[in-house]
Amino acid sequence: MSDEPNSEAEGWEPRPEGASEENGKKRRRTGWRRVIPTWRMVLGGVLLILLLVSGAMVAGYLLVSIPEPNKAAAAQTNVYLYADGTQIARDGKVNRENISLAQVPKRAQHAVLAAEDRDFYHESAIDPKAMLRAGWKTLTGGDRQGGSTITQQYVKNYYLNQEQTVTRKAKEFFISLKLDREVSKDDVLQGYLNTSYFGRNAYGIQSAAHAYYGKDVSDLTTAEGAYLAALVNSPNAYDTRAHPENRKRAVARWNYVLDGMVKEGWLEESKREKMKFPEPDRAKPPNNMSGQRGYLVEAVKNYLISNKIIDEQRLAAGGFRITTTLQPKKQKAMRDAVDKRLMDQLDKKGRKVDKYVRAGGSSVDPKTGKVVAMYGGIGYTKQYVNNATRRDYQVGSTFKPFIFTSAVQNKSKTQDGVPITARTIYDGTNKREVMSDGRGTDYAPENEDHRSYGQIPVTTAMDKSVNSVFAQMGVDVGPRKVKNTAIDLGVPRGVPNMPEDGSIALGVTTASTLDMAEAYATLANHGKHGHYRLVEKMTRGGEVVELPEQDAKQAVPRVAADSTTAILRSVVKGGTGTAAQAAGRPAAGKTGTAEEDKAAWFAGYTPELSTVIAVMGQDSKSGVQKPLYGAAGKARINGGGFPAEIWGAYTKAALDGTPVRDFKLETDGQSADLPNTQPPTTQAPTTRPPETEDPTTPPPSSEEPPETPTKPEPPSTKPPETPTVPPEIGGVDGGDVIGGDDGGVVGGDTGGDPGGAAANGDPNGGAWDGGNTADGAPGGGW
């Protein structure tokens, strides 16, 4: 038998002479290997891509030329309109003074380089990695990111615009490359310093030096130059006069700049260590922003920026037509009410304390979330701070309704297991120690004028703003739950001084009148809450800017909101808020007073409007908050006085000509009718230290608070008339017809510094006519 394989059976064929066995075999790609590209294909594809990219780069470089300076480099005017189309104000007049680089001291130049681009003189005009990252974020709709070099930023400011598009980025790329070859680094830096926006409508470092320090750039100290350099990153956030709550962030950015100068060898470490943060001067608003106009424009700007509707640089570039939700009739009604009921009563020459008096107010439509009126102060060019949006005064007892809302929302019970309703009996004894899990907490808040009320229902405690009752109720419900309910209602989560401890019950929170008007609007809207609106429409040429949708949803149960409304109607009918009856309509509300009577509040609503008025005390020179004892010739300024009177006058005028509507409440059987009360207990409060850190833990069954009934007595058919308290007794909310309010906090200044530095701990923060918010200044929901 032959050893040769069968050619037909095994596919054998003879090899050519000289060919090896391995070379003679023909390899074929079979199966899944067919779909995998060969190394030749991969290499060819890569080379093709490189060729195309290189070609595109060359073509782009040749086709894109350095254009003439963009006309938009000179900012256009923004027009702000009332809801009916009438004009509020125009802004956008450019404040710019170009100077040569030689006029800018090296210390200021180095500060800007340390802040924005430390390798400017040693690097290319572009940063490819940062460009790719920013382009990818733009294409995918992610957060906008920077990372551009100074050259790229200059090109964007001077030759192009602030649009976030791939086309603009591509032009920026090629123009920057050409500019780097044709223009010196010094010329680029000079252009950058003259075109950058520093806030306060200041374009260029020379204008910024005047806007913040009232001097030429050549006279700036190293510390001052570092602050201006820090501003370029975020002018709106780092202006410590306009936004004292952001001072900590501004100082951190300032330190970053100085540390960078030391690292690069531009500043000696010994000099750096001696430097203190250079507080800028108060802003000097343009005259066309006088009266309420400046406050309104500033509030709208903050709303647009803090809600990320538009970025600050693009808004500053101008050209926008902004129709607000503000209504001229209601705006005038609020201004007239403040002037007639408060400002006309002041004698600033005869009484020093009258110079400290300020007022702020905000009004919101509960159904739509539209802000319809706002009062910021006596005039934007006289008092720069917007008293309607500042967040550095304690809200006092206007926070107490949120505790009751939270109790109903969470179906909370007292320490002895009784459900909390408007009729639940509490011990209103002065300095009664708050109990947690049947044990003392060493927390015994005072009632106003040290008055004891004995065993009283929650309705009476709300009418008379009894601190001992609501301090206990706050622990019964749980401080964290109370805080969450306040946030549900509309108080911004990041508002200063909203602690998760017992002090939250006494109103140490420093929310703005706008924040509180939003929260009370949720109560008026039966517990529904959504994004509030300050802008109705915004256009620029043919472009329509997208605005947040009105997305109201049930934030707290209707029964919780309506039960709170029922109890707050009693405050207006016969409690500390009787002055609000001047509105001539069904109303609900609550008075409040800050610690040491530095502010007095009235927060209230009708079915149509939620409005909050605050009267504040502040030294305009030092920025320190001041007590209002003796202001306008009154022994005390309390929430039931000027604030409630202003609220009543405004609401009456604002709703003039509209039908009177009553509240349609669903309280699930709860009633504000009062059961019989009991006289004050004579038992001294305990002073035992707390033995538990869980204030929401139910008490042991064997522990019973003294003299507290487990069930309220049946109400009479008519609620008893509230007795009139003699003036010498005083009372809740500081001597209203039936008493007064504490608004303060026991055991120390929990509310933070009078200047409002709670967010950053600085003793001088939040003053000097500069208290608009940053993240918020009017930001968040309604």
Side-chain angles (χ1 to χ4, degrees):
M1 178 179 282
S2 174
D3 292 333
E4 292 292 332
N6 187 297
S7 61
E8 293 182 0
E10 302 186 29
W12 176 89
E13 60 184 45
R15 296 192 302 269
E17 288 188 13
S20 66
E21 182 176 349
E22 181 178 350
N23 291 338
K25 292 181 180 179
K26 185 176 181 181
R27 296 184 178 180
R28 295 181 180 179
R29 297 165 58 84
T30 61
W32 59 270
R33 290 186 177 88
R34 288 183 173 183
V35 300
I36 299 178
T38 65
W39 66 270
R40 294 185 182 86
M41 295 170 64
V42 173
L43 179 61
V46 171
L47 291 175
L48 179 61
I49 292 173
L50 290 176
L51 182 63
L52 291 174
V53 171
S54 300
M57 293 283 289
V58 172
Y61 187 86
L62 295 175
L63 294 175
V64 177
S65 59
I66 299 177
E68 290 295 319
N70 192 350
K71 293 181 180 180
Q76 302 175 60
T77 298
N78 288 324
V79 181
Y80 295 83
L81 308 171
Y82 283 112
D84 65 356
T86 57
Q87 183 173 303
I88 298 174
R90 288 176 175 264
D91 82 334
K93 184 179 179 181
V94 177
N95 176 22
R96 188 200 311 272
E97 181 182 353
N98 291 339
I99 57 175
S100 67
L101 189 63
Q103 293 175 270
V104 183
K106 284 291 184 180
R107 56 185 177 272
Q109 294 181 37
H110 290 155
V112 172
L113 293 176
E116 297 297 313
D117 192 354
R118 297 176 186 179
D119 296 321
F120 170 72
Y121 277 99
H122 312 294
E123 68 181 3
S124 170
I126 61 170
D127 184 344
K129 286 180 63 177
M131 286 282 291
L132 289 172
R133 182 176 63 249
W136 175 254
K137 288 291 184 180
T138 301
L139 282 172
T140 58
D143 294 335
R144 296 172 181 173
Q145 293 196 0
S148 300
T149 64
I150 279 180
T151 303
Q152 290 174 271
Q153 293 180 56
Y154 170 55
V155 168
K156 178 179 66 175
N157 293 339
Y158 193 61
Y159 295 104
L160 300 173
N161 52 50
Q162 304 295 326
E163 292 180 359
Q164 299 288 333
T165 63
V166 174
T167 301
R168 199 270 294 162
K169 273 290 186 184
K171 290 181 179 179
E172 176 186 305
F173 180 88
F174 291 114
I175 294 172
S176 296
L177 286 176
K178 282 197 170 184
L179 204 66
D180 195 40
R181 294 175 60 88
E182 301 178 19
V183 179
S184 70
K185 289 284 189 179
D186 282 349
D187 288 341
V188 171
L189 181 58
Q190 174 181 299
Y192 176 77
L193 293 174
N194 281 325
T195 56
S196 293
Y197 180 64
F198 290 81
R200 296 192 182 184
N201 201 36
Y203 289 85
I205 195 167
Q206 171 73 330
S207 297
H210 280 279
Y212 288 90
Y213 294 109
K215 60 177 71 172
D216 286 336
V217 66
S218 58
D219 297 325
L220 289 175
T221 66
T222 301
E224 291 168 345
Y227 176 69
L228 295 187
L231 285 170
V232 176
N233 181 261
S234 184
N236 184 62
Y238 295 150
D239 187 340
T240 59
R241 292 286 190 171
H243 302 295
E245 67 273 15
N246 287 347
R247 190 176 189 277
K248 186 175 182 179
R249 292 173 56 198
V251 173
R253 180 70 180 175
W254 176 75
N255 283 320
Y256 167 81
V257 174
L258 291 176
D259 291 341
M261 294 176 70
V262 172
K263 183 178 180 180
E264 296 297 326
W266 298 327
L267 177 64
E268 295 178 15
E269 179 69 32
S270 59
K271 293 182 179 180
R272 158 74 181 98
E273 292 176 353
K274 297 178 182 178
M275 290 183 183
K276 295 182 179 180
F277 184 74
E279 288 291 349
D281 298 336
R282 287 188 298 170
K284 301 173 181 64
N287 290 331
N288 67 330
M289 293 294 166
S290 61
Q292 296 300 306
R293 291 191 294 270
Y295 299 123
L296 303 183
V297 168
E298 189 68 20
V300 171
K301 286 182 179 179
N302 283 332
Y303 169 81
L304 293 170
I305 295 169
S306 63
N307 285 285
K308 298 181 180 180
I309 296 170
I310 189 171
D311 64 58
E312 185 176 3
Q313 293 284 348
R314 192 174 179 216
L315 182 62
F320 291 96
R321 190 174 183 85
I322 303 165
T323 303
T324 72
T325 59
L326 298 162
Q327 299 178 16
K329 174 187 173 181
K330 292 180 175 63
Q331 188 66 35
K332 181 179 184 300
M334 183 170 286
R335 182 195 65 205
D336 290 348
V338 174
D339 288 345
K340 183 177 180 180
R341 300 292 174 174
L342 176 63
M343 296 303 172
D344 291 351
Q345 313 303 317
L346 302 179
D347 181 5
K348 295 185 179 181
K349 294 182 178 180
R351 287 185 295 265
K352 182 179 180 180
V353 66
D354 284 6
K355 296 179 181 179
Y356 303 147
V357 176
R358 300 186 175 203
S362 300
S363 187
V364 175
D365 182 334
K367 295 296 183 184
T368 65
K370 295 179 181 179
V371 182
V372 296
M374 185 179 291
Y375 183 89
I378 60 173
Y380 191 66
T381 57
K382 298 177 182 178
Q383 293 178 351
Y384 179 59
V385 61
N386 188 340
N387 295 321
T389 59
R390 68 188 302 168
R391 289 173 175 159
D392 56 350
Y393 281 85
Q394 293 178 354
V395 301
S397 292
T398 58
F399 197 88
K400 287 176 179 172
F402 305 158
I403 305 171
F404 180 72
T405 304
S406 188
V408 180
Q409 178 184 16
N410 293 289
K411 299 180 180 179
S412 302
K413 298 180 179 181
T414 65
Q415 292 286 300
D416 58 345
V418 176
I420 299 175
T421 69
R423 296 160 49 82
T424 303
I425 299 296
Y426 268 92
D427 187 348
T429 301
N430 182 50
K431 289 189 176 181
R432 175 192 178 276
E433 184 179 22
V434 174
M435 306 296 290
S436 176
D437 193 21
R439 297 168 181 153
T441 63
D442 202 26
Y443 179 42
E446 296 179 357
N447 291 333
E448 187 72 19
D449 294 324
H450 309 283
R451 183 177 179 184
S452 289
Y453 293 87
Q455 304 295 314
I456 56 174
V458 171
T459 293
T460 300
M462 187 73 79
D463 286 348
K464 300 183 178 183
S465 205
V466 182
N467 291 333
S468 57
V469 170
F470 286 95
Q472 181 63 61
M473 189 187 299
V475 171
D476 293 347
V477 177
R480 178 173 296 180
K481 291 180 180 179
V482 171
K483 179 177 179 177
N484 288 337
T485 296
I487 293 170
D488 290 341
L489 291 170
V491 178
R493 184 177 298 274
V495 75
N497 297 337
M498 193 156 58
E500 293 182 4
D501 59 39
S503 66
I504 191 174
L506 301 186
V508 298
T509 303
T510 55
S512 68
T513 65
L514 183 54
D515 296 332
M516 297 300 284
E518 294 167 25
Y520 274 69
T522 305
L523 296 175
N525 198 29
H526 310 293
K528 289 185 177 180
H529 175 268
H531 290 290
Y532 86 94
R533 299 175 355 184
L534 192 51
V535 174
E536 191 73 53
K537 184 179 180 182
M538 184 174 182
T539 60
R540 189 176 189 270
E543 175 191 6
V544 178
V545 178
E546 185 177 353
L547 300 173
E549 295 182 1
Q550 211 288 339
D551 56 351
K553 62 181 180 181
Q554 199 73 41
V556 299
R558 176 165 183 164
V559 66
D562 286 0
S563 296
T564 305
T565 298
I567 207 172
L568 293 182
R569 291 199 65 181
S570 176
V571 174
V572 174
K573 289 179 179 179
T576 58
T578 54
Q581 295 176 12
R585 292 171 178 266
K590 183 71 186 75
T591 55
T593 309
E595 188 179 17
E596 298 181 8
D597 284 18
K598 293 174 181 175
W601 298 69
F602 185 81
Y605 51 95
T606 66
E608 302 87 358
L609 286 179
S610 170
T611 306
V612 176
I613 303 294
V615 177
M616 312 163 183
Q618 184 178 31
D619 187 326
S620 60
K621 294 182 179 179
S622 67
V624 174
Q625 295 182 10
K626 292 286 188 177
L628 292 174
Y629 302 120
K634 305 286 186 180
R636 301 180 65 181
I637 302 297
N638 50 72
F642 291 126
E645 292 172 10
I646 294 169
W647 187 95
Y650 160 73
T651 303
K652 181 178 181 180
L655 296 178
D656 183 44
T658 64
V660 176
R661 294 171 50 204
D662 202 351
F663 295 102
K664 296 181 179 179
L665 304 180
E666 296 179 8
T667 61
D668 197 20
Q670 294 201 37
S671 171
D673 293 341
L674 306 182
N676 295 329
T677 61
Q678 299 180 22
T681 178
T682 57
Q683 180 175 338
T686 61
T687 57
R688 287 175 294 170
E691 298 180 67
T692 177
E693 294 182 1
D694 184 6
T696 61
T697 304
S701 58
S702 60
E703 188 76 13
E704 294 186 3
E707 298 185 23
T708 302
T710 58
K711 293 184 180 180
E713 296 181 19
S716 58
T717 54
K718 295 176 79 175
E721 295 183 5
T722 309
T724 302
V725 177
E728 64 269 20
I729 296 178
V732 190
D733 281 321
D736 295 327
V737 179
I738 321 181
D741 164 53
D742 70 283
V745 58
V746 177
D749 189 7
T750 305
D753 180 80
N760 51 52
D762 180 75
N764 298 316
W768 324 290
D769 290 331
N772 294 332
T773 65
D775 43 271
W782 64 269

